[in-house]
Amino acid sequence: MENHIIIGLGGTGGRVLAAFRKLMFEKFNGDVKPKDMWIDYLYMDSSEQDLKMKDPAQWSIMGKNIALDADSVIKIPAANLRDYVDNRSRFKYLAPWLGDSADWKNIINDPKISEGAAGQKRRLGRLLFANGSPEFNKMVGVKARKLSQNPDGKKITYHVIAGLAGGTGSGSIIDVV
């Protein structure tokens, strides 16, 4: 059996992960991660509210909680965004697409940012991901090492799910891929 890591980025990625886990629950008699299947999940978002996975309509089925375990969830921190923008020379990998610092003033001062959400702003989603990419890379590595224990093969198929309308998912997908 092949190995799979299903990665949900942003709010849409999280909703699709929840829907997929419901399908797995139904197909495998209440198991979202069957023992004979080499599958793992990873959900990354900047919205603290979405990452709590408390919405029963989304994260439960037949009265059972299907929320992801803590080791499958990554919160992208919103800290230091102003530092990234104001000191772009220290962050050479960001400078090419950040643009003018003045363009970021209203974005960084948006109250949604203090809550951690990208608010349908693709460039902001990318900047937020840059802030959380070390943790993301670490978690993908941990999951890949676990799946590499599969006696049937070490090949891993990565499934990346994200909305493309703007926000955390569409901002981070290019760097994730």
Side-chain angles (χ1 to χ4, degrees):
M1 171 79 43
E2 204 174 290
N3 302 304
H4 297 272
I5 297 177
I6 304 174
I7 302 170
L9 305 173
T12 299
R15 286 187 291 282
V16 172
L17 276 179
F20 182 80
R21 287 171 68 87
K22 285 180 179 180
L23 289 172
M24 293 291 285
F25 183 96
E26 291 171 346
K27 183 167 178 70
F28 295 101
N29 299 319
D31 198 351
V32 294
K33 199 172 170 181
K35 308 286 183 271
D36 59 338
M37 289 186 74
W38 291 82
I39 186 169
D40 212 336
Y41 303 93
L42 188 59
Y43 174 29
M44 183 194 69
D45 201 351
S46 58
S47 170
E48 194 167 332
Q49 186 62 34
D50 287 350
L51 287 171
K52 289 179 182 175
M53 297 177 279
K54 296 292 184 191
D55 181 0
Q58 184 173 338
W59 290 101
S60 68
I61 181 169
M62 297 171 46
K64 302 284 186 188
N65 184 353
I66 58 163
L68 295 162
D69 296 329
D71 69 346
S72 293
V73 178
I74 301 170
K75 163 99 171 75
I76 300 175
N80 299 324
L81 296 183
R82 185 174 308 284
D83 187 43
Y84 282 125
V85 172
D86 292 343
N87 301 297
R88 71 186 71 234
S89 62
R90 288 187 2 215
F91 308 102
K92 302 265 188 238
Y93 58 96
L94 298 177
W97 57 267
L98 272 177
D100 186 8
S101 295
D103 294 340
W104 286 90
K105 184 177 181 179
N106 289 338
I107 293 172
I108 291 174
N109 293 330
D110 186 332
K112 285 185 179 179
I113 305 314
S114 63
E115 299 167 10
Q120 298 306 113
K121 296 175 180 81
R122 185 174 290 113
R123 282 176 54 197
L124 178 57
R126 190 169 190 200
L127 183 58
L128 287 167
F129 178 74
N131 201 21
S133 62
E135 180 66 16
F136 176 80
N137 291 337
K138 180 180 116 187
M139 292 298 294
V140 169
V142 166
K143 300 227 175 256
R145 277 188 292 285
K146 282 182 190 175
L147 290 174
S148 72
Q149 304 302 312
N150 181 352
D152 295 331
K154 306 222 180 300
K155 179 184 170 195
I156 300 173
T157 301
Y158 296 85
H159 307 267
V160 181
I161 305 161
L164 300 177
T168 303
S170 67
S172 60
I173 194 164
I174 190 69
D175 295 309
V176 166
V177 171

